[in-house]
Amino acid sequence: MGPLGLKIIYTLITLVICGVYGLLLGAFMAKTMARVQGRIGIPLHQPFVDIIKNYGKRTAISHGIMFYLGPVFRLTGGIGTLVFIPVIFGSEYFSNFSVAGDLLLVMYFIFFGQLGMALGASEGGHPYSPIGIARGLAQMCAFEVPFALAIIAIAIQYNTFSITEIVAAQQGGILSWTFFTNPFAVVAALLAMLGMNMYPPFSIVLAPQEIPIGPPTEYHSAYLGMLQSNRAIFAAAKLVLFMNLFFGGATNFPVLVLKTWAIYMCSVLVGAAFPRFRPEETIRFFLRWPTVIGIVGLLFAKYYLI
Amino acid sequence: MSSKDLLPNDGLSEIDQEFFCQAPPEYISPLPKPIEDFMNWARSESLFILAFGTGCGAIELRPLTTSRFDMYQYGIQMRATPRQSSVFIVGGYASVKTLKRIVRSYEQMQGPKFVVTLGSCPINGGMYWDSYNTINRIDHYLPIDISICGCMPRPESILAGFVELKKMIRAGQCDGANLYAKNFAWYKANQKRIIKDWNMPDYNW
Amino acid sequence: MMLEKLKQTFTVTEVKEQKKNLTFFTVPKEQMEMMLITLRDHHDYKHLSFIVGIDMIEDGVFKLTYMLYNYETNHSFGIHCNIDREKAEMDSFHHLWEQVGTYQRELREMLGINFEGSPRLEENLSLDEGWDGPPPMRRDFDTKEYSNNTYFQREGRVNYDPREYMREQLYPTFPKTESDKLLNGGGKK
């Protein structure tokens, strides 16, 4: 077994860790929301039980090949995002398959899952699925604008598209984090992250307990289990990405947990405090202030930092 | 095979037929005992209710989601789609018109699935026992796992019923989907006896 | 003033001033349309509140009540119309108020009254799924027998006459004839 084999094993370990961590974060979010609403809330192992139950369903029906492929694409998007992000800076094995242009690849993978899901969910034939997809894609296009602006800003700032190099450039004290060197880009990206995580006020896509349940309306049993696993992995991957890009990365797991948890708390606090936007309000919101802040961040990087 | 056992998807057009299952539901034997016990534990701890309010009992379900009762702490939550749900609640009296929707929703759910009835009407008709459009015994049309009595049962009793249901699931006593598959012809015959203009597929969605 | 004029114009067989703001007229079936149009167009009864049908099986008629309402004077005008139970037919007034069609559908469904020309008359509102019994709100329809024949009764149901049951439970020593006399005679004034 050469270094590649070891690397694959370590990547799988990373996947498991991130999946478990993502599920715990989801449970933590639900628990916090429950406490804010004066409820007791779920036990922290509830998401794991849900996933086990969904994988353990006895029957499942299919609506065609694309219906199978939808969750697969979604999971590919989640895993793909994670696999190309260096999780621990400086560690040979936990930097996964980080390559020179991985930032672009990761941005593509963030979009990829949703597109695959759109194809699969339409095959289900349920009228609510296309509604959810339309909302999801609209929201995605909206928050992609400030996010892309922030990414371009830091690409200009560090003159690279490699996440490892971006993290390396932020080493050496808190003040060299992007968060302090280019706060505009970071704020724009964090606002985009609120939309990305799909918690309130941007939870209309996945309104899980209401009539239009969103893209996964027709997904059940193991398909739903896959989607839930992906949601956990994807959430963890996004947090690691944000930590790497804006908060100096992490050199060991405790720091990783601390930083990602702090980033996640942005979503949790906003989600607990605000009611839900409608789709058109979401789009208007993202195309207004976050975009302006993103442009400011871009100009700041272009004309001030360089 | 006589036409009575076969239950063809007649009443459906050629184009519609290919959208639906052409085979009746099958008996699915459980996994080896330790795994099945573990799965039963997971099933009992994660009950997804189909949010479909039939009858007056639906109004007593809503308080369960509020902070006073908070059923989510017991792993019970509402889902909007039958595909993802595992618990079906017949909340009170079921009229003939509702029964059609109940059967459709129930068959769309994926096994193992559990049925809970609220109130006395699904048991013996309750105060509508001599009505011309209210079904007296729902257990002749669907396999019932547990009935919670009362008119209507308060949210506390519904929670108590769910705790009992969890115990039964953990003990492996709730096998409604297989019961339905085994006695499929009998259930279908009973359903067709009252839903006279049968215009939906016989098997599954 | 208005009532007098109406009485002169139409064959009003029965007048009932129920309350200060509620009056009932009974008119023959043929004059119903004219009556409704007059009330609506000349006396400002613009709002049709509801139509109900009652099965008066003893008289052999269905009693239809059209309730009109005047927003200016807050006065309700109910118009009774008796139609033959055997030949249950009535003119359709869906051209006067659009919502009448829905009421007529319900009356057709529940009492079996035919309204010639009413829109979507044959579509049932609630008796779906291939109802093939008689109209269920007719009083000669035995709902208990229908239920027994159609649905599965659970064994063991015992029915009590409430009055007898209460008397036996609460006053077992009280003589039966006395209590009957009290209950039957005492209630009337």
Side-chain angles (χ1 to χ4, degrees):
Chain A
M1 189 183 288
L4 185 67
L6 261 183
K7 200 159 193 172
I8 289 174
I9 290 172
Y10 271 105
T11 307
L12 287 178
I13 293 174
T14 319
L15 268 178
V16 173
I17 291 174
C18 285
V20 171
Y21 183 54
L23 284 177
L24 280 177
L25 280 179
F28 182 77
M29 170 78 180
K31 189 95 180 163
T32 314
M33 293 295 236
R35 289 295 169 146
V36 169
Q37 292 160 4
R39 296 187 282 123
I40 294 172
I42 57 171
L44 282 181
H45 63 264
Q46 185 68 45
F48 299 94
V49 182
D50 286 350
I51 286 190
I52 292 170
K53 184 206 78 170
N54 278 328
Y55 280 121
K57 282 258 186 187
R58 285 188 186 149
T59 53
I61 47 169
S62 166
H63 294 278
I65 295 168
M66 272 321 288
F67 189 76
Y68 277 111
L69 288 182
V72 175
F73 280 165
R74 198 90 168 94
L75 196 59
T76 313
I79 294 176
T81 316
L82 187 63
V83 160
F84 291 101
I85 299 175
V87 174
I88 303 287
F89 173 70
S91 154
E92 192 182 335
Y93 295 114
F94 285 112
S95 48
N96 293 344
F97 293 92
S98 171
V99 287
D102 50 5
L103 189 49
L104 283 178
L105 201 57
V106 163
M107 273 195 77
Y108 171 70
F109 266 124
I110 289 178
F111 217 99
F112 175 76
Q114 187 85 3
L115 286 176
M117 184 70 196
L119 289 173
S122 329
E123 181 102 8
H126 198 285
Y128 286 149
S129 299
I131 295 175
I133 292 160
R135 288 174 173 179
L137 287 180
Q139 181 166 321
M140 185 158 243
C141 292
F143 73 65
E144 200 77 353
V145 173
F147 185 59
L149 284 171
I151 295 288
I152 295 167
I154 61 168
I156 292 173
Q157 181 181 344
Y158 298 114
N159 201 17
T160 176
F161 266 120
S162 159
I163 298 175
T164 315
E165 284 179 30
I166 291 175
V167 178
Q170 294 179 59
Q171 299 303 309
I174 266 188
L175 286 178
S176 50
W177 294 1
T178 320
F179 186 67
F180 292 102
T181 50
N182 189 354
F184 302 106
V186 177
V187 168
L190 282 181
L191 286 171
M193 189 195 70
L194 295 182
M196 224 182 272
N197 278 347
M198 290 184 189
Y199 288 129
F202 306 108
S203 60
I204 191 85
V205 180
L206 274 175
Q209 285 161 27
E210 293 140 42
I211 298 156
I213 184 167
T217 309
E218 198 66 8
Y219 282 108
H220 52 273
S221 308
Y223 309 114
L224 188 64
M226 267 174 100
L227 291 178
Q228 283 173 327
S229 335
N230 164 69
R231 198 162 152 71
I233 293 174
F234 199 37
K238 276 181 296 195
L239 290 175
V240 172
L241 177 69
F242 272 77
M243 179 195 69
N244 278 339
L245 292 184
F246 307 117
F247 297 93
T251 47
N252 51 34
F253 270 106
V255 175
L256 173 106
V257 169
L258 195 68
K259 283 186 180 175
T260 46
W261 184 81
I263 300 171
Y264 193 72
M265 280 309 283
C266 299
S267 257
V268 174
L269 292 179
V270 172
F274 286 94
R276 184 181 285 159
F277 273 152
R278 286 187 309 206
E280 66 269 24
E281 288 170 335
T282 307
I283 294 168
R284 245 178 260 151
F285 172 82
F286 278 121
L287 295 186
R288 208 171 283 165
W289 286 113
T291 307
V292 171
I293 297 171
I295 292 171
V296 170
L298 188 65
L299 298 175
F300 186 71
K302 176 86 178 126
Y303 295 107
Y304 183 77
L305 292 178
I306 297 181
Chain B
M1 203 184 271
S2 72
S3 64
K4 207 177 176 186
D5 310 317
L6 196 63
L7 293 169
N9 279 340
D10 55 4
L12 289 177
S13 65
E14 285 277 311
I15 305 162
D16 284 346
Q17 293 230 354
E18 66 182 40
F19 289 124
F20 300 107
C21 191
Q22 297 288 328
E26 284 172 9
Y27 181 88
I28 297 166
S29 44
L31 299 164
K33 188 156 181 359
I35 307 176
E36 188 66 20
D37 281 352
F38 175 65
M39 283 302 174
N40 277 337
W41 170 80
R43 281 163 198 154
S44 73
E45 287 299 316
S46 157
L47 296 172
F48 288 7
I49 299 176
L50 176 61
F52 170 38
T54 72
C56 40
I59 204 79
E60 298 289 343
L61 276 177
R62 301 302 175 262
L64 287 178
T65 57
T66 59
S67 48
R68 177 158 176 186
F69 300 105
D70 186 25
M71 65 177 174
Y72 207 2
Q73 63 178 298
Y74 305 108
I76 309 165
Q77 58 171 308
M78 298 271 192
R79 298 301 275 203
T81 152
R83 292 283 190 224
Q84 301 173 0
S85 324
S86 61
V87 181
F88 190 91
I89 292 189
V90 182
Y93 65 88
S95 66
V96 179
K97 200 166 182 169
T98 320
L99 184 80
K100 190 173 182 179
R101 279 79 192 167
I102 290 175
V103 169
R104 285 190 68 156
S105 311
Y106 178 75
E107 290 189 352
Q108 284 182 58
M109 286 163 61
Q110 300 301 312
K113 44 194 172 183
F114 319 108
V115 183
V116 179
T117 68
L118 306 182
S120 42
C121 301
I123 300 173
N124 63 359
M127 62 188 284
Y128 304 106
W129 66 286
D130 58 351
S131 166
Y132 57 90
N133 63 356
T134 306
I135 290 148
N136 285 346
R137 299 184 61 174
I138 195 85
D139 56 349
H140 277 63
Y141 309 96
L142 293 176
I144 303 293
D145 288 305
I146 191 166
S147 293
I148 303 170
C149 300
C151 184
M152 285 307 299
R154 298 246 327 132
E156 290 94 334
S157 16
I158 299 179
L159 275 183
F162 274 121
V163 172
E164 198 63 32
L165 177 72
K166 281 182 168 187
K167 278 184 204 156
M168 285 169 68
I169 296 173
R170 243 172 268 159
Q173 293 167 347
C174 297
D175 216 358
N178 278 341
L179 196 68
Y180 193 69
K182 255 187 193 168
N183 306 322
F184 189 65
W186 183 71
Y187 282 119
K188 274 290 157 207
N190 285 346
Q191 290 163 8
K192 287 192 179 182
R193 193 173 144 189
I194 54 169
I195 304 174
K196 279 153 191 156
D197 60 342
W198 187 270
N199 57 355
M200 44 187 192
D202 284 314
Y203 302 131
N204 209 335
W205 273 267
Chain C
M1 169 63 197
M2 177 194 85
L3 298 182
E4 291 305 316
K5 202 174 168 191
L6 283 173
K7 275 181 209 165
Q8 283 167 12
T9 327
F10 296 99
T11 326
V12 181
T13 50
E14 200 185 326
V15 182
K16 196 174 169 194
E17 297 260 4
Q18 182 100 0
K19 285 192 289 187
K20 199 177 78 192
N21 56 356
L22 178 61
T23 312
F24 285 105
F25 271 16
T26 306
V27 291
K29 185 174 149 187
E30 300 79 39
Q31 297 186 0
M32 271 307 288
E33 183 164 5
M34 230 29 244
M35 183 85 188
L36 290 176
I37 291 176
T38 314
L39 281 173
R40 187 186 72 161
D41 293 347
H42 299 288
H43 301 290
D44 242 9
Y45 287 86
K46 292 220 159 45
H47 178 80
L48 179 100
S49 307
F50 55 81
I51 307 174
V52 287
I54 307 165
D55 187 1
M56 313 282 266
I57 196 166
E58 294 83 359
D59 304 340
V61 291
F62 288 122
K63 187 181 223 172
L64 297 182
T65 306
Y66 293 70
M67 187 64 79
L68 305 184
Y69 183 71
N70 187 336
Y71 284 104
E72 306 298 322
T73 58
N74 283 345
H75 185 260
S76 292
F77 212 119
I79 302 155
H80 291 314
C81 174
N82 293 326
I83 58 172
D84 190 13
R85 208 169 168 282
E86 299 303 314
K87 197 172 154 290
E89 278 179 1
M90 185 66 194
D91 303 327
S92 173
F93 301 129
H94 63 273
H95 53 281
L96 297 181
W97 289 274
E98 223 171 285
Q99 72 269 29
V100 169
T102 310
Y103 287 113
Q104 289 172 347
R105 274 171 71 190
E106 191 188 16
L107 286 171
R108 210 270 321 168
E109 178 183 348
M110 289 297 171
L111 290 174
I113 303 170
N114 188 27
F115 292 89
E116 192 72 39
S118 183
R120 299 168 67 197
L121 189 64
E122 293 302 312
E123 292 175 34
N124 280 345
L125 285 166
S126 61
L127 290 179
D128 221 336
E129 326 313 339
W131 171 265
D132 55 1
M137 285 293 167
R138 286 198 179 203
R139 278 168 61 199
D140 49 5
F141 169 72
D142 191 342
T143 164
K144 186 178 167 201
E145 193 192 331
Y146 182 87
S147 174
N148 279 339
N149 293 338
T150 314
Y151 308 117
F152 301 94
Q153 299 290 348
R154 187 176 283 272
E155 297 299 317
R157 181 187 269 280
V158 185
N159 293 294
Y160 298 102
D161 177 32
R163 198 173 85 183
E164 289 294 311
Y165 187 76
M166 291 293 279
R167 192 183 62 81
E168 272 164 31
Q169 290 291 315
L170 298 176
Y171 314 105
T173 53
F174 202 71
K176 196 176 177 186
T177 44
E178 283 294 315
S179 70
D180 279 352
K181 209 187 284 176
L182 271 177
L183 281 164
N184 290 337
K188 284 177 189 168
K189 278 186 181 173

